[in-house]
Amino acid sequence: MSKAVGWIGTGRMGHAMVQRLMAAGHDVHVWNRTRAKAEDLVALGATVVDTAADLSDREVVFTMVAADPDLLEVTVGENGVLSGPSGPAYLIDSSTVSAETSDRIRLSAARHGTTLLAAPVSGNAKVVRAGKLSIAVSGPLDAYTAVEDLLRAIGNSVTYVGERDAARLVKLAHNILLGVVTQSLAEVTLLAQQGGVSRAAFLEFVNGSVLGSTFTRYKTPALVNLDFTPTFTTDLLRKDFDLGLAAARALEVPLPVAAATHHLVQGAVGRGHRDEDFAALLLEQARSAGVELQSENVEVDDGLATKPAPPERL
């Protein structure tokens, strides 16, 4: 059944996620700080509103923004979705933010009769379009059940992980693993290259082995052809390491491998890769080895054949 949905944040990820909701038959109103980045969604059936507050009468509102200050602005800020006397029934946040920010928004949402669900995602815009996005969700179970159809219209894998902010910890743990795996992949790929094996051949072998994954496949073109057009920037990865290591300290869990990777990610940011895709860790690994990399200019499969959005549930 179609729901009245509001969406805040139509960047690379949000834009693709909104398209899947509309393809599944939902009525979507959107707001983005830069209105022009949302205008093309009108042709697909979306309505663009003037402020985030204009979405407060929607049944469900999603937020997908970059960081804590952005989320606070669009929710409890002057023209935020929770700035008026009432709010949506459900607020679903897919941003990666701190527990403190989440708690502040949860309290404000409750005063407006709104239930907050944390629903961070794993993937990039191309993963969304391919129908392979993964979503972790936490909050009241009855609220999750009420909006599950929306989440499954967006993601292929939707996992309820518990109450309150459990999903945010799941996402931080996931992104720490993402960074560690990428750094390890950069190291062994360079090792193989220096032994006379092309990066394309080495990664083809890895992708066909038990260690191959959706992630190693869709990062292969970047590692082979050195195209670091961002899907997820090195700076955003650093932010998630900061949050994840802070959570580890609070929970008294040592993360020695993650801590070492954090230093390497920080180094990559400091040496100019802030706004590039985090696969640029390969460049810094090469620099440490005194190697200047060249694109192999090889066409390689990223494993992300587009999968259509699911049909509307009746």
Side-chain angles (χ1 to χ4, degrees):
M1 182 179 296
S2 176
K3 286 184 172 67
V5 178
W7 194 284
I8 297 172
T10 56
R12 287 186 295 268
M13 285 292 290
H15 198 282
M17 294 163 78
V18 166
Q19 289 186 60
R20 291 194 67 82
L21 282 174
M22 290 191 297
H26 297 288
D27 172 31
V28 186
H29 289 194
V30 303
W31 179 83
N32 193 66
R33 181 181 289 118
T34 304
R35 186 185 180 100
K37 293 183 178 180
E39 291 286 1
D40 65 317
L41 291 168
V42 174
L44 301 177
T47 299
V48 180
V49 301
D50 294 326
T51 70
D54 293 334
L55 300 174
S56 62
D57 61 349
R58 301 263 90 188
E59 181 182 358
V60 183
V61 173
F62 285 81
T63 50
M64 184 59 153
V65 296
D68 292 52
D70 306 296
L71 184 60
L72 290 169
E73 178 186 347
V74 302
T75 54
V76 300
E78 182 178 357
N79 292 306
V81 69
L82 299 175
S83 63
S86 61
Y90 304 101
L91 179 63
I92 305 175
D93 177 47
S94 294
S95 314
T96 303
V97 297
S98 68
E100 292 76 15
T101 290
S102 190
D103 283 340
R104 178 176 170 184
I105 294 169
R106 183 180 293 104
L107 289 172
S108 179
R111 290 194 292 268
H112 287 76
T114 300
T115 301
L116 175 68
L117 287 170
V121 302
S122 170
N124 58 38
K126 190 168 185 179
V127 173
V128 177
R129 290 190 291 270
K132 296 181 180 181
L133 191 72
S134 299
I135 308 174
V137 190
S138 62
L141 181 57
D142 59 341
Y144 165 72
T145 301
V147 301
E148 184 180 359
D149 61 326
L150 296 176
L151 296 165
R152 293 198 180 278
I154 298 169
N156 179 59
S157 170
V158 180
T159 306
Y160 178 74
V161 298
E163 294 287 339
R164 294 180 68 83
D165 278 333
R168 299 196 193 279
L169 183 60
V170 168
K171 176 61 185 297
L172 291 174
H174 171 279
N175 279 13
I176 286 174
L177 179 61
L178 191 72
V180 169
V181 168
T182 303
Q183 176 60 31
S184 297
L185 193 60
E187 292 177 13
V188 295
T189 300
L190 186 66
L191 173 64
Q193 175 186 299
Q194 293 308 98
V197 180
S198 72
R199 298 192 300 276
F202 174 70
L203 289 167
E204 180 181 350
F205 169 74
V206 170
N207 291 336
S209 76
V210 294
L211 291 177
S213 66
T214 299
F215 174 70
T216 64
R217 291 182 187 93
Y218 81 65
K219 279 303 170 196
T220 291
L223 297 176
V224 170
N225 296 322
L226 308 184
D227 179 0
F228 301 115
T229 303
T231 57
F232 186 62
T233 67
T234 311
D235 192 40
L236 287 175
L237 180 62
R238 176 181 63 172
K239 180 203 72 171
D240 289 353
F241 264 87
D242 290 342
L243 292 171
L245 290 172
R249 286 191 294 272
L251 295 170
E252 299 289 354
V253 177
L255 299 179
V257 176
T261 303
H262 180 232
H263 286 296
L264 296 169
V265 172
Q266 175 63 60
V269 170
R271 284 189 284 271
H273 305 295
R274 176 188 298 271
D275 297 321
E276 294 180 330
D277 191 87
F278 65 101
L281 287 168
L282 176 66
L283 297 179
E284 287 307 306
Q285 181 63 27
R287 191 188 70 85
S288 296
V291 175
E292 184 174 348
L293 295 179
Q294 301 293 329
S295 170
E296 293 184 354
N297 294 315
V298 176
E299 186 174 342
V300 288
D301 182 15
D302 66 3
L304 292 180
T306 301
K307 177 181 177 182
E312 179 182 359
R313 294 186 178 186
L314 301 178

